[in-house]
Amino acid sequence: MGILVQIEHVDGQVADGAHELLAMARSLGGTVEALVCAKDATTVAAIADELDADTVVAVADAVLADYVPAAYLTCLAQAMEDRAPDLVLLSYSTAGIDLAGGVALKSGREMVCYATAIERDGAVLTVKSQVYSGKLTASTTLPLPGIVVVMPGAIKAPERAGGSAPVEELVVDLSVSQSIRHVENLLPDSDGIDLTKAERIVCVGRALGGTDKLPLAEALAVKLGAEIAGSRPVIDAGWLPRARQVGKSGTKVKPKLYLMAGVSGAPEHLEGMQDSDLIIALNSDEQAPIFRKAHYGAVCDMFEVLPALTEKLG
Ligand SMILES: Cc1cc2nc3c(=O)[nH]c(=O)nc-3n(C[C@H](O)[C@H](O)[C@H](O)COP(=O)(O)OP(=O)(O)OC[C@H]3O[C@@H](n4cnc5c(N)ncnc54)[C@H](O)[C@@H]3O)c2cc1C
């Protein structure tokens, strides 16, 4: 089986998800090819050095310095045509979901999104995927050739020993009309906070309901010496500043303690915190997906337990 993996990187820094895709491809057996699109050959070479692939298929062009949808789509579509892989793997990331839909449409291949596991029985793949924000797991038989978009953290990538795959250049005509162009990278106002450095985090979810109850979480955070953070709805509602958002479109954290109250555990939130050493979840719904990830959990009303915990900590 031939597997083509789309490698995501920012300025040559390979995304964790790309290594996870390669590990998943390896677990399925067959030939693993990594598609690297970058601004120049030096960046391609540096990335290729890190990848556990049999071949690196590379497109080097100044247009690819930043993620430009039409250019990246053209590269992936052409790589699929040239290499004719049985399976294409992409990360469930902003660029990954953008590209996957485009190449599925262009190639007519079937696609499964939100994948957490892939099993192979000969030429038949069974893909497990999360639906309804992780509340249900779907099992899909995917006819090959197919496309799978894999959730971050679905598989642990091994420690990287460095790759030695040969690099094969793919010549792509990138004079396509770029209806979307990259203007600049805007980093969120950091508010002086760097959540990635926090050893302890207390994270509140939509159940907070507003800023009037925020002091309950803040008091506990003070007792724990923790930073306060929020899920996306909390940030979107303006209850906490954007620099305190954890998740796919926020910050990715790995603290020693991640205590979360009123957060359901949607895949996009898990993406930002699932590698925390100790995850403790307070949620009133015993079916909340977070209980499948948390090391400890309490089915409870957070508004009772937060102050009780603060009091216990003296
Ligand atoms: C492209 C994209 C990017 C995204 N990026 C992010 C991201 O970076 N970060 C992020 O968090 N989300 C992100 N999301 C949104 C994500 O899908 C979820 O919608 C979001 O994480 C849900 O936030 P929540 O858990 O706070 O709210 P909900 O899903 O509404 O969960 C609230 C939880 O509180 C519980 N609850 C209710 N009352 C109480 C109570 N009294 N005591 C205890 N528990 C209670 C409920 O049982 C429920 O489980 C993204 C979505 C998309 C599509």
Side-chain angles (χ1 to χ4, degrees), residues 137-182:
T137 300
S139 188
T140 311
T141 305
L142 178 68
L144 296 177
I147 299 169
V148 178
V149 185
V150 180
M151 297 298 295
I155 190 169
K156 218 171 171 54
E159 288 299 313
R160 262 91 80 184
S164 53
V167 177
E168 291 181 16
E169 193 193 350
L170 180 72
V171 180
V172 181
D173 176 9
L174 288 173
S175 58
V176 282
S177 80
Q178 312 287 341
S179 52
I180 299 177
R181 75 194 163 86
H182 181 89

Side-chain angles (χ1 to χ4, degrees), residues 199-223:
E199 292 208 334
R200 296 167 194 175
I201 291 176
V202 171
C203 179
V204 286
R206 195 198 315 258
L208 186 70
T211 47
D212 53 330
K213 297 273 179 49
L214 196 55
L216 295 181
E218 285 171 334
L220 179 60
V222 169
K223 277 274 149 57

Side-chain angles (χ1 to χ4, degrees), residues 204-212 214 230-242 244-245:
V204 286
R206 195 198 315 258
L208 186 70
T211 47
D212 53 330
L214 196 55
S231 65
R232 182 161 159 175
V234 170
I235 310 303
D236 287 348
W239 303 337
L240 282 173
R242 191 146 300 277
R244 293 189 183 269
Q245 180 181 323

Side-chain angles (χ1 to χ4, degrees), residues 92-94 97 114 133 135 203-208 230-236 245-251 258 260-272 282-290 298-304:
Y92 182 77
S93 62
T94 307
I97 46 181
Y114 310 111
S133 298
K135 289 200 171 77
C203 179
V204 286
R206 195 198 315 258
L208 186 70
S231 65
R232 182 161 159 175
V234 170
I235 310 303
D236 287 348
Q245 180 181 323
V246 170
K248 181 183 189 62
S249 45
T251 306
Y258 194 82
M260 49 211 294
V263 182
S264 58
E268 294 83 3
H269 189 82
L270 297 182
E271 189 174 330
L282 312 178
N283 197 299
S284 55
D285 175 8
E286 64 180 326
Q287 300 296 332
I290 192 55
V299 179
C300 64
D301 181 351
M302 63 189 262
F303 301 116
E304 287 174 10

Side-chain angles (χ1 to χ4, degrees), residues 31-51:
T31 316
V32 179
E33 297 193 309
L35 175 63
V36 175
C37 304
K39 62 181 176 191
D40 55 32
T42 314
T43 313
V44 167
I47 295 172
D49 269 356
E50 279 194 48
L51 305 179

